[in-house]
């Protein structure tokens, strides 16, 4: 079942590549929408049949390369299922949004279908090499999206930077995986086996180095300060759909790696170095928010708030490794908050990036000072952006609040200072978004001079549907989160149990 | 003494085809010389069949007073070499078709192929040197096949380096013989631990000199870029692939079989050579503008990764299979890239590849697979090879070398992307004639090689399980 969910987009991609080239551009995008919708429907079926307390389910294990310790092993639990669902939803939204894409539609659609398979594969993978294969292919796919559909020559430079940075990270990750593989007896890359046997317990420095390698790889992808420098250019130069996927899905691969690989496989080292992780998280929170505050470019600003939001997740997973001064319930709450934050950030930031794409499409610039009083021209655009901005800064009623509330409650007891510092991040992001809203949407109406008639079109149907749908889900989670938390919480408890052993 | 000639069917098939090809080639009219090519391909196929039979029926053995070992390393090496030779034959078809010396081309290719096979099985120093000569001399002639100025220069450089380092190798063999009173690896393994340290050390360095020359590793790598650039492209594909396979398996066998217990710290020596080779190869590749020179330096850096598994030959159980898998993956991936270069004879520099994605999506796909494959991106064979090589190196205690290899991999990404980038540029400034294709055979080779590279990544288990057997003494 999971294999079908994972490889359906790739299959459609193959069919499209073999189909005659005479097909109309729209036909490709509609095929993509159909495929994404079908995939989402399949995930809903999976979710409906998922038993929240039952651990890893829908498992499929096939011998692949037993001599190398590599197997094809997939399955979902409460940590991965929400992200799988998020991936399907986000790709569907991006597909709808892309109905208006006109440049090289065929390769564009194929690339995104490929990326969807890669993302889904990563979240269901229960083998380190399988995980790594998808991790690396996501970099390759996104490189071509940024280089091919970004904004000109600068996009190629940004794509190269993105590739080099995240590829360094992925190779560090590979070294860490090899370290785990060699420590296990018999040698294996299987995640479930490695978690069960905890091969590096009592290895001391060696385990620390393995955690360093894995942590480095995941930190680059997440990204946390100081490994975040690839993110702003990549986001700014990527097309809107690419940014949405990059921020919504690809960044989650890093944080997901922490909860899926680093924490349960290296519990001893994780606890030992928890303070470092907490500090990195807190610094990312504050630094990301402060730099976002200084931006004049709307898209760069959102990119930096991603550093801030991912910082909360890192803070939470670090706090979950701090046994002193906290009880199991608090740590489990932090983990649940972290996973919820991944979902929430995916929904809201993707919507924000799609809206930034609308801005670029209309005015040809992301500079906030070029616009003023947009609310008068484009009421719908202003309304949706305002909702997304408020959701992103974490007001109650949206998913971000649920997530951040849990993260702070779970972390405060064990890491009081760091959490208090991170709390200021909320104020800062509020300032960031409110300033942006005021600069662009309020005041005397003014538009960039390059707009032909001085008029600016409001959101079109496809743009409204794709962004509003994402925000609606964020709202549902914010108002009635139980259906999501019921799935995450048991897995969070299992994870904190594993870290504490 | 075991004189079982049937154990040597692959070698004899290539030699026999060479002799018959030479004779028939001198009588055939120029238009029918392709018959020699068909003969060569048949010999490869026969060799593959014989190897398959040997490996599946467990007829591993040593022959002729243990001078030649037919074991796991030879078996896997034979398959890789013969498949690679087949790919080179198919990609050469258009380049040499109707050439006045077409038959000679095929004969030289067969002879040097036989020499490569002999290198892999050599189980004694004298056999090793004979194989070295057989593999080298026809290759010098091949480098000059076009009889133009760059080709002649390439051949001269190739020959001079080969002669110098071949002599060094012979001197090294003499020293090892003097120290160990034997030339057979089995006997050397017993006598060398008691031999004078200095003589063994100098002797080993001498022998390694010749083999590192064949492999194109630092410090014997100077010929690689010039020969690759000057020789006809299929020959360049040959010299950057086959000799490496032969030489690296020969080095592995020499170190693993003849020097397992000496005081000599050859693992460290090899680790340092590996580190220098990958780093220098990568650094030199950075700003190349000619695709052939870029590929040449890339092959030097790849030898560095391969030498990692040689350096841990006796320190990790993963060394042998990582070496063999990486060799197989490297051979098909490298040949795939060269097949694309052969298919586009007009495109010599990186800028000539601008906008290829539009005109030749198939060839572009092959290049993307092969170049990203050489970087080690999954799911290609080289990724799996790198995974195994890194695992073996860390397992053997050289974590620093694995970390350096990781850094090098990242650096290599830079120049591979310099080639990949222009493919997707839309530009009309380029004259389309630089991107005219040569013919079907080279294209078919490119597609086959790329498919094999992917297949090795997905189904590498086949090679891994074959490659795990013991070496015979």
């Amino acid at each position: 079942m999971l294999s079908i969910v994972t490889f359906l987009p790739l299959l459609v991609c193959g069919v499209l590549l073999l189909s005659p080239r005479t097909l109309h551009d729209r036909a490709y995008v509609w095929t993509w929408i159909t495929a994404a919708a079908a995939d989402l429907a399949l995930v809903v079926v999976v979710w409906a049949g998922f038993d929240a307390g039952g651990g890893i389910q829908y498992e499929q294990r096939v011998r692949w390369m037993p001599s190398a310790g590599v197997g094809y092993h997939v399955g979902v639990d409460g940590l991965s299922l929400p992200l799988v669902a998020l991936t399907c939803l986000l790709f569907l939204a991006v597909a709808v949004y892309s109905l208006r894409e006109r440049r090289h539609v065929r390769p564009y659609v194929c690339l995104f279908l490929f990326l969807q398979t890669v993302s889904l594969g990563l979240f269901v993978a229960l083998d380190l090499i399988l995980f790594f294969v998808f991790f690396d292919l996501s970099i390759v796919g996104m490189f071509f999206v940024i280089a091919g559909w970004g904004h000109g020559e600068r996009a190629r430079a940004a794509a190269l930077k993105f590739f080099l940075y995240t590829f360094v990270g992925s190779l560090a990750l590979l070294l860490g995986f090899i370290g785990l593989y060699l420590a296990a007896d018999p040698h294996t890359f299987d995640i479930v086996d490695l978690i069960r046997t905890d091969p590096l317990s009592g290895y001391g420095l060696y385990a620390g180095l393995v955690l360093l390698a894995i942590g480095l790889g995941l930190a680059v992808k997440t990204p946390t300060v100081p490994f975040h420098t690839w993110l702003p250019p990549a986001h700014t130069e990527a097309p809107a759909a690419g940014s949405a996927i990059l921020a919504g899905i690809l960044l989650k691969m890093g944080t997901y790696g922490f909860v899926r690989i680093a924490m349960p496989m290296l519990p001893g080292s994780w606890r030992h170095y928890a303070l470092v992780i907490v500090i990195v998280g807190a610094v990312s929170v504050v630094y990301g928010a402060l730099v976002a505050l200084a931006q004049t470019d709307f898209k760069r600003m959102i990119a930096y708030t991603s550093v801030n939001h991912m910082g909360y997740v890192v803070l939470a997973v670090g706090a979950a490794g701090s046994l002193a001064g906290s009880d199991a319930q608090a740590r489990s709450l932090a983990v649940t908050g972290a996973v919820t934050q991944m979902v929430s950030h995916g929904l809201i930031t993707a919507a924000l990036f799609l809206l930034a794409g609308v801005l670029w499409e209309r005015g040809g610039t992301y500079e906030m000072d070029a616009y003023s009083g947009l609310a008068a021209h484009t009421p719908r655009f202003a309304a949706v952006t305002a909702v997304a901005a408020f959701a992103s800064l974490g007001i109650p009623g949206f998913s971000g609040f649920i997530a951040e509330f849990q993260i702070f409650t779970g972390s405060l007891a064990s890491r009081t200072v760091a959490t208090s510092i991170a709390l200021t991040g909320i104020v800062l992001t509020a300032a960031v978004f409110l300033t942006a809203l005021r600069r662009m949407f309020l005041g005397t109406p003014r538009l960039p001079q390059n707009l032909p008639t001085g008029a600016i079109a409001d959101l079109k149907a496809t743009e409204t549907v794709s962004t509003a749908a994402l925000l609606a889900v964020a709202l549902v989670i914010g108002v009635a989160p139980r259906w999501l938390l019921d799935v995450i919480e048991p897995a969070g408890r299992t994870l904190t149990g594993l870290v504490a052993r | 003494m075991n004189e079982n000639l049937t154990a040597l069917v692959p070698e004899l098939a290539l030699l026999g085809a060479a002799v018959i090809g030479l004779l028939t080639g001198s009588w055939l009219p120029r238009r029918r010389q392709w018959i020699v090519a068909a003969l060569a391909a048949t010999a490869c196929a026969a060799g593959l069949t014989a190897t398959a039979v040997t490996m599946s029926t467990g007829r591993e053995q040593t022959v002729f007073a243990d001078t030649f070992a037919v074991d796991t390393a030879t078996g896997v090496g034979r398959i890789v070499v013969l498949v690679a030779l087949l790919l080179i034959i198919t990609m050469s078809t258009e380049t040499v078709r109707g050439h006045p010396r077409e038959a000679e081309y095929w004969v030289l290719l067969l002879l040097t192929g036989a020499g490569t096979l002999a290198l892999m099985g050599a189980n004694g120093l004298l056999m090793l040197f004979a194989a070295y000569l057989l593999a080298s001399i026809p290759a010098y002639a091949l480098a000059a096949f076009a009889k133009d100025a760059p080709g002649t220069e390439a051949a001269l450089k190739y020959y001079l380096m080969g002669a110098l380092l071949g002599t060094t190798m012979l001197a090294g063999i003499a020293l090892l013989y003097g120290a160990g009173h034997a030339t057979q690896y089995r006997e050397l393994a017993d006598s060398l631990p008691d031999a004078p340290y200095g003589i063994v050390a100098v002797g080993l360095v001498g022998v390694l000199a010749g083999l590192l020359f064949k492999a194109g590793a630092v410090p014997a790598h100077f010929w690689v870029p010039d020969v690759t650039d000057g020789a006809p492209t299929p020959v360049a594909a040959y010299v950057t692939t086959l000799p490496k396979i032969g030489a690296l398996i020969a080095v592995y066998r020499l170190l693993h079989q003849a020097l397992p217990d000496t005081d000599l710290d050859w693992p460290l020596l090899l680790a340092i050579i590996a580190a220098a080779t990958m780093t220098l190869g990568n650094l030199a590749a950075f700003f190349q503008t000619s695709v052939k020179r870029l590929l040449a330096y890339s092959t030097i850096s790849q030898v560095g990764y391969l030498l990692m598994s040689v350096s841990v030959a006796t320190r990790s159980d993963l060394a042998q299979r990582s070496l063999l898998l990486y060799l197989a993956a490297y051979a098909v991936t490298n040949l795939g890239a060269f097949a694309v270069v052969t298919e586009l004879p007009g495109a010599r520099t990186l800028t000539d590849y601008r906008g290829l994605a539009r005109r030749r999506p198939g060839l572009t796909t092959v290049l993307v697979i092969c170049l990203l494959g050489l970087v080690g991106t999954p799911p290609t064979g080289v990724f799996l090879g790198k995974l195994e090589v890194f695992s073996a190196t860390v397992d053997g205690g050289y974590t620093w070398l694995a970390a350096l290899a990781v850094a090098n991999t990242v650096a290599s990404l830079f120049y591979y992307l310099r080639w990949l980038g222009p493919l997707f540029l839309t530009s009309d400034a380029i004259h389309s004639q630089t991107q005219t294709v040569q013919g079907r055979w080279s294209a078919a080779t490119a597609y086959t090689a790329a498919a094999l590279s992917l297949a090795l990544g997905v189904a590498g288990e086949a090679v891994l399980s074959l490659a795990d057997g013991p070496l015979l003494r």
Side-chain angles (χ1 to χ4, degrees):
Chain A
M1 183 69 178
L2 283 178
S3 301
I4 300 173
V5 171
T6 307
F7 289 103
L8 177 73
L10 192 65
L11 189 73
V12 176
C13 167
V15 171
L16 283 185
L17 281 178
L18 294 176
S19 65
R21 290 191 151 223
T22 48
L23 274 181
H24 192 264
D25 282 356
R26 284 289 182 98
Y28 289 115
V29 184
W30 274 112
T31 318
W32 177 20
I33 294 175
T34 318
D39 226 23
L40 184 61
L42 284 174
V43 172
V44 171
V45 173
V46 168
W47 193 303
F50 185 81
D51 169 21
I56 293 172
Q57 288 157 59
Y58 295 99
E59 240 180 314
Q60 196 179 3
R61 198 168 185 173
V62 183
R63 284 162 58 87
W64 182 15
M65 287 181 278
S67 331
V70 181
Y72 178 81
H73 190 179
V74 295
V76 283
D77 64 358
L79 301 176
S80 48
L81 185 58
L83 291 169
V84 170
L86 171 74
T87 308
C88 286
L89 181 68
L90 221 53
F91 272 93
L92 179 59
V94 166
V96 172
Y97 181 88
S98 301
L99 260 175
R100 310 187 55 249
E101 181 66 49
R102 291 287 169 273
R103 293 175 299 160
H104 315 314
V105 174
R106 195 168 101 122
Y108 177 87
V109 168
C110 289
L111 255 180
F112 274 94
L113 285 167
F114 169 77
L115 269 174
Q116 183 171 1
T117 286
V118 166
S119 313
L120 288 170
L122 183 122
F123 293 126
V124 299
L126 288 178
D127 182 279
L128 289 177
I129 293 304
L130 199 60
F131 180 94
F132 183 82
V133 167
F134 290 125
F135 192 92
D136 242 18
L137 287 178
S138 76
I139 301 174
V140 175
M142 190 44 77
F143 169 77
F144 286 119
V145 168
I146 299 175
W149 286 267
H151 310 315
E153 195 59 52
R154 292 206 343 258
R156 270 184 287 281
L160 185 67
K161 189 171 183 182
F162 161 77
F163 202 133
L164 285 176
Y165 264 74
T166 41
F167 202 76
V168 176
S170 83
L171 287 170
L173 197 62
L174 186 64
L175 269 191
F177 288 176
I178 289 173
L180 280 167
Y181 163 80
L182 291 173
D185 187 33
H187 295 340
T188 180
F189 283 108
D190 194 86
I191 291 181
V192 176
D193 291 348
L194 284 170
I195 290 175
R196 197 182 55 239
T197 50
D198 187 12
L200 282 170
S201 64
Y203 265 84
L205 180 66
Y206 180 72
L209 285 174
V210 171
L211 179 63
L212 179 69
I214 292 179
L216 199 67
L218 297 173
V220 172
K221 188 92 176 180
T222 299
T224 65
V225 174
F227 308 111
H228 65 287
T229 47
W230 62 267
L231 180 90
H235 270 315
T236 316
E237 304 306 329
S243 304
I245 295 301
L246 181 56
I249 309 292
L250 265 57
L251 300 192
K252 307 299 170 299
M253 294 178 174
T255 47
Y256 173 72
F258 283 122
V259 294
R260 169 62 66 217
I261 295 165
M263 293 170 76
M265 284 188 202
L266 296 153
S269 316
W270 188 267
R271 291 195 305 270
H272 194 244
Y273 297 103
L275 181 61
V276 180
I277 297 152
V278 167
I279 291 173
V280 168
V283 169
S284 294
V285 167
V286 178
Y287 181 84
L290 280 175
V291 180
L293 198 55
Q295 297 305 313
T296 56
D297 179 313
F298 185 55
K299 211 174 179 188
R300 265 183 104 82
M301 185 201 87
I302 306 172
Y304 275 109
T305 62
S306 290
V307 176
N308 159 278
H309 281 99
M310 291 287 97
Y312 294 131
V313 179
V314 176
L315 171 74
V317 292
S322 315
L323 298 192
S326 72
D327 55 10
Q329 202 186 350
R331 294 197 300 275
S332 152
L333 194 61
V335 171
T336 311
V339 178
T340 317
Q341 173 74 334
M342 293 183 214
V343 176
S344 160
H345 177 257
L347 294 167
I348 298 167
T349 307
L352 274 170
F353 274 120
L354 292 181
L355 291 166
V358 172
L359 197 65
W360 172 270
E361 216 248 329
R362 305 290 195 275
T365 174
Y366 297 121
E367 281 300 320
M368 286 188 275
D369 289 340
Y371 306 89
S372 177
L374 272 183
H377 295 280
T378 57
R380 257 177 297 155
F381 178 49
V384 178
T385 311
V387 170
F390 279 107
S392 183
L393 65 85
I395 60 159
F398 283 98
S399 52
F401 173 74
I402 307 280
E404 283 158 31
F405 174 75
Q406 294 185 90
I407 288 172
F408 288 126
T409 316
S411 315
L412 198 59
S414 55
R415 298 294 178 194
T416 317
V417 179
T419 311
S420 316
I421 293 171
L423 266 168
T424 59
I426 298 213
V427 185
L428 288 172
T429 27
V432 168
F433 279 109
L434 293 177
T435 319
L437 287 179
R438 184 184 55 76
R439 278 160 106 174
M440 293 199 305
F441 293 102
L442 306 177
T444 39
R446 178 163 51 80
L447 293 170
Q449 288 173 347
N450 57 353
L451 278 176
T453 56
I456 186 164
D458 206 348
L459 283 190
K460 301 202 171 60
T462 52
E463 293 158 349
T464 318
V465 169
S466 50
T467 49
L470 294 175
L471 295 172
V473 178
L475 180 70
V476 170
I477 296 174
V479 177
R482 280 321 312 172
W483 59 278
L484 179 65
L485 298 183
D486 281 342
V487 167
I488 302 175
E489 271 168 4
R493 273 198 297 278
T494 315
L495 179 63
T496 39
L498 286 169
V499 173
R501 72 187 143 147
Chain B
M1 187 167 83
N2 183 357
E3 293 181 11
N4 183 7
L5 274 179
T6 54
L8 300 178
V9 170
E11 288 80 8
L12 296 177
L14 293 192
L15 276 179
V19 174
I20 300 170
L22 194 60
L23 293 175
T24 50
S26 31
W27 297 101
L28 281 171
R30 193 177 293 176
R31 222 178 303 145
R32 297 248 183 85
Q33 302 233 328
W34 59 268
I35 291 174
V36 185
L39 184 70
T42 317
C44 291
L48 279 173
T49 319
T51 310
V53 171
T54 311
M55 294 191 79
S56 59
T57 53
R59 286 189 207 152
E60 280 84 5
Q61 55 192 307
T62 58
V63 288
F64 296 102
D66 300 335
T67 51
F68 198 91
V70 182
D71 54 17
T72 310
T74 316
V76 177
R78 276 173 173 173
I79 296 176
V80 177
V81 165
L82 292 171
V83 169
L85 204 55
L86 272 176
L87 290 174
I88 291 169
I89 289 171
T90 49
M91 88 167 79
S92 318
T93 310
E94 281 106 9
T95 312
V96 295
R97 180 188 288 153
H99 194 281
R101 285 167 278 121
E102 184 181 348
E104 283 87 331
Y105 178 87
W106 303 119
V107 169
L108 288 171
L109 205 54
L110 284 168
L111 284 175
T112 173
T116 308
L117 290 184
L119 261 180
M120 299 185 306
N123 206 21
L125 292 172
L126 289 181
M127 180 69 203
L128 185 70
F129 190 67
Y132 171 87
L133 290 180
L134 181 56
S136 298
I137 293 169
Y140 305 145
L142 274 180
F145 188 74
K147 277 196 178 172
D148 52 2
T152 314
E153 190 195 329
L156 197 63
K157 202 157 188 174
Y158 197 15
Y159 168 73
L160 284 176
M161 287 286 281
L164 173 69
L165 293 168
T167 321
T168 317
M169 184 176 175
L170 196 58
I173 289 173
L175 284 176
L176 284 186
Y177 177 56
H181 306 293
T183 56
Q184 294 300 92
Y185 293 169
R186 185 178 53 178
E187 293 156 32
L188 286 173
D190 295 331
S191 57
L192 284 185
D194 307 322
Y197 180 88
I199 300 182
V200 178
V202 176
L204 177 68
V205 169
V207 176
L208 282 181
L211 293 174
L212 291 179
F213 158 76
K214 289 249 59 139
V218 171
H221 67 287
F222 293 106
W223 59 274
V224 180
D226 293 310
V227 174
T228 313
D229 204 23
T233 314
V235 175
Y238 166 81
V239 294
T240 54
T241 314
L242 256 71
K244 291 189 199 314
I245 307 172
L248 285 163
I249 293 181
V251 174
Y252 180 84
R253 191 186 294 281
L254 170 73
L255 296 172
H256 188 274
Q257 300 292 79
L259 297 130
D261 305 318
T262 50
D263 301 335
L264 213 59
D265 197 359
W266 58 260
L268 184 63
L269 173 71
L270 266 291
I272 291 169
I273 294 176
T277 304
M278 65 176 89
T279 311
L280 287 179
N282 271 328
L283 291 182
F286 261 25
F287 298 107
Q288 298 299 330
T289 50
S290 149
V291 288
K292 279 162 85 176
R293 287 190 89 83
L294 188 142
L295 274 179
Y297 283 111
S298 126
T299 67
I300 296 177
S301 72
Q302 298 285 335
V303 173
Y305 304 131
L306 283 158
L307 282 171
M308 288 164 69
S309 41
V310 177
S311 72
V312 292
T314 50
R315 297 160 64 114
S316 167
D317 295 336
L318 302 170
Q320 180 176 323
R321 69 179 201 213
S322 70
L323 174 71
L324 295 176
L325 176 69
Y326 200 121
L327 275 174
Y330 162 74
V332 291
T333 313
N334 189 48
L335 288 177
F338 269 106
V340 175
V341 179
T342 313
E343 175 71 358
L344 300 167
R348 302 188 60 84
T349 63
L350 295 179
T351 45
D352 291 344
Y353 280 79
R354 286 164 73 102
L356 189 73
R358 288 265 118 157
R359 294 192 191 89
R360 311 271 172 217
L363 289 179
T364 308
T365 313
V366 170
L367 261 188
V368 170
I369 292 173
C370 289
L371 295 185
L372 286 181
L374 287 173
V375 177
T377 310
T380 58
V382 177
F383 162 68
L384 202 60
K386 269 198 174 153
L387 175 68
E388 289 292 307
V389 167
F390 289 177
S391 299
T393 311
V394 175
D395 194 32
Y398 286 135
T399 311
W400 62 268
L401 186 58
L404 183 71
V406 164
N408 264 294
T409 304
V410 174
S412 73
L413 191 62
F414 176 74
Y415 58 83
Y416 291 121
L417 285 182
R418 275 186 68 224
W419 189 356
L420 284 179
L423 298 176
F424 299 93
L425 289 181
T426 40
S427 68
D428 21 49
I430 289 292
H431 304 294
S432 55
Q433 68 208 27
T434 57
Q435 291 177 3
T436 45
V437 293
Q438 202 173 25
R440 286 201 195 136
W441 284 97
S442 320
T445 313
Y447 297 136
T448 315
L452 281 175
S453 175
L454 281 179
L456 268 180
V458 178
E461 175 66 21
V463 179
L464 283 175
S465 55
L466 277 181
D468 240 356
L471 292 185
L472 297 179
R473 308 195 80 175

